[in-house]
Amino acid sequence: MKFNIGSIFNRKGSAQKINITSINIKWRGSSHAMQGMEVKEKRFTITVPFQNKTQQDALPFEALKERLKAQQAPPITISKIDVSDPFKLVSVEPNLPKSVQSGERAEFKIAIEAPDYTYAGPLTLSISADEVSMIKVQINKVILKTSTKSAEIENSGVILNMPRGNIFKNSVQMYKALTYGNTVRKVTISKPFEFVSCDPNIPFTIDDRNSYLVTFYIKGPDIDYAGPMEITVE
């Protein structure tokens, strides 16, 4: 998540000196420290741009990002924003709860009332969201298959706690089932998983005599799963 802070002051005067040394944004177990400010009004507004960054933002190919648009993660629903003492929350625009779609940006204008006495110290904004439905995926082994060979990848077991239908990646040494010069034009992955893309993208040819590692991007299931995962290449 990405946060930036700007301030907009209302013309409601306050004789007290309020020095906010830092603005701390708390979000899902992490804290983002922003520059403080001096408040000269009783009521002021902090504007917080919020971005629901998608998993595909970090993926390597523009074509892959386009393909994933229909497989985006669930939206985040901002349900509550709290302001630390001695400040008081007056209002939030837009009204909460506010759903922020995957990849969408939203801007929250938080009206805050300063205390009636001189204050110097931090101000903390705690942003809460409804919990995303999570599943547990326990892959006990990854098997790489061709039309003529099947090979189990050593130490490939993994346990994932992830949102339903989320994208994860798995890297495989292709020499477990292929040889130098082989070309891969198609990839399928056993249910309940779904192949999304890979790096390098298909088609690719095994052109390194020493090692050839491929990273597969895989759509996870919608329910808990325990068992093997088979990657078939043709």
Side-chain angles (χ1 to χ4, degrees), residues 1-5 25-27 32 34 48-50 127:
M1 302 308 158
K2 183 178 180 181
F3 299 98
N4 292 305
I5 296 294
I25 309 294
K26 287 189 175 181
W27 165 254
H32 306 261
M34 312 301 296
V48 181
F50 178 93
I127 301 177

Side-chain angles (χ1 to χ4, degrees), residues 61-70:
F61 306 114
E62 289 299 324
L64 174 56
K65 294 176 186 179
E66 288 296 317
R67 182 174 177 181
L68 292 181
K69 282 184 177 179

Side-chain angles (χ1 to χ4, degrees), residues 127-180:
I127 301 177
S128 303
D130 293 344
E131 290 299 319
V132 176
S133 180
M134 304 290 287
I135 61 167
K136 187 173 185 178
V137 176
Q138 301 180 74
I139 299 172
N140 60 1
K141 59 183 176 181
V142 175
I143 300 171
L144 181 63
K145 299 179 68 175
T146 69
S147 59
T148 59
K149 187 175 182 180
S150 177
E152 180 179 337
I153 308 302
E154 296 92 343
N155 304 315
S156 57
V158 64
I159 297 176
L160 303 170
N161 291 295
M162 54 189 279
R164 297 178 186 273
N166 204 36
I167 307 296
F168 67 98
K169 62 183 181 179
N170 189 278
S171 297
V172 174
Q173 173 57 252
M174 301 307 291
Y175 271 114
K176 294 296 181 182
L178 298 175
T179 59
Y180 181 80

Side-chain angles (χ1 to χ4, degrees), residues 67 137 139 141-145 167-172 186-198 214-221 225 228-234:
R67 182 174 177 181
V137 176
I139 299 172
K141 59 183 176 181
V142 175
I143 300 171
L144 181 63
K145 299 179 68 175
I167 307 296
F168 67 98
K169 62 183 181 179
N170 189 278
S171 297
V172 174
K186 182 179 179 181
V187 176
T188 56
I189 299 183
S190 58
K191 298 295 183 182
F193 303 99
E194 180 182 337
F195 172 72
V196 176
S197 191
C198 59
V214 174
T215 299
F216 295 95
Y217 293 94
I218 302 162
K219 184 176 182 288
Y225 174 80
M229 182 176 71
E230 295 183 356
I231 302 175
T232 301
V233 295
E234 300 177 23

Side-chain angles (χ1 to χ4, degrees), residues 38-185:
E38 184 175 314
V39 175
K40 298 180 180 179
E41 292 81 17
K42 175 67 174 177
R43 184 174 294 184
F44 61 100
T45 302
I46 293 177
T47 302
V48 181
F50 178 93
Q51 182 182 6
N52 181 3
K53 297 187 72 174
T54 64
Q55 188 180 32
Q56 50 264 44
D57 288 338
L59 297 182
F61 306 114
E62 289 299 324
L64 174 56
K65 294 176 186 179
E66 288 296 317
R67 182 174 177 181
L68 292 181
K69 282 184 177 179
Q71 301 178 348
Q72 292 176 348
I76 290 175
T77 299
I78 304 298
S79 56
K80 188 179 182 182
I81 296 178
D82 292 314
V83 179
S84 61
D85 292 335
F87 299 92
K88 294 181 180 179
L89 178 67
V90 176
S91 65
V92 177
E93 294 182 9
N95 293 331
L96 302 181
K98 165 66 176 176
S99 180
V100 184
Q101 298 298 320
S102 180
E104 183 184 1
R105 297 174 184 268
E107 186 174 82
F108 295 95
K109 294 183 178 180
I110 306 167
I112 301 170
E113 187 174 290
D116 293 326
Y117 51 85
T118 299
Y119 173 83
L123 182 153
T124 299
L125 299 173
S126 299
I127 301 177
S128 303
D130 293 344
E131 290 299 319
V132 176
S133 180
M134 304 290 287
I135 61 167
K136 187 173 185 178
V137 176
Q138 301 180 74
I139 299 172
N140 60 1
K141 59 183 176 181
V142 175
I143 300 171
L144 181 63
K145 299 179 68 175
T146 69
S147 59
T148 59
K149 187 175 182 180
S150 177
E152 180 179 337
I153 308 302
E154 296 92 343
N155 304 315
S156 57
V158 64
I159 297 176
L160 303 170
N161 291 295
M162 54 189 279
R164 297 178 186 273
N166 204 36
I167 307 296
F168 67 98
K169 62 183 181 179
N170 189 278
S171 297
V172 174
Q173 173 57 252
M174 301 307 291
Y175 271 114
K176 294 296 181 182
L178 298 175
T179 59
Y180 181 80
N182 286 159
T183 297
V184 173
R185 294 181 174 85

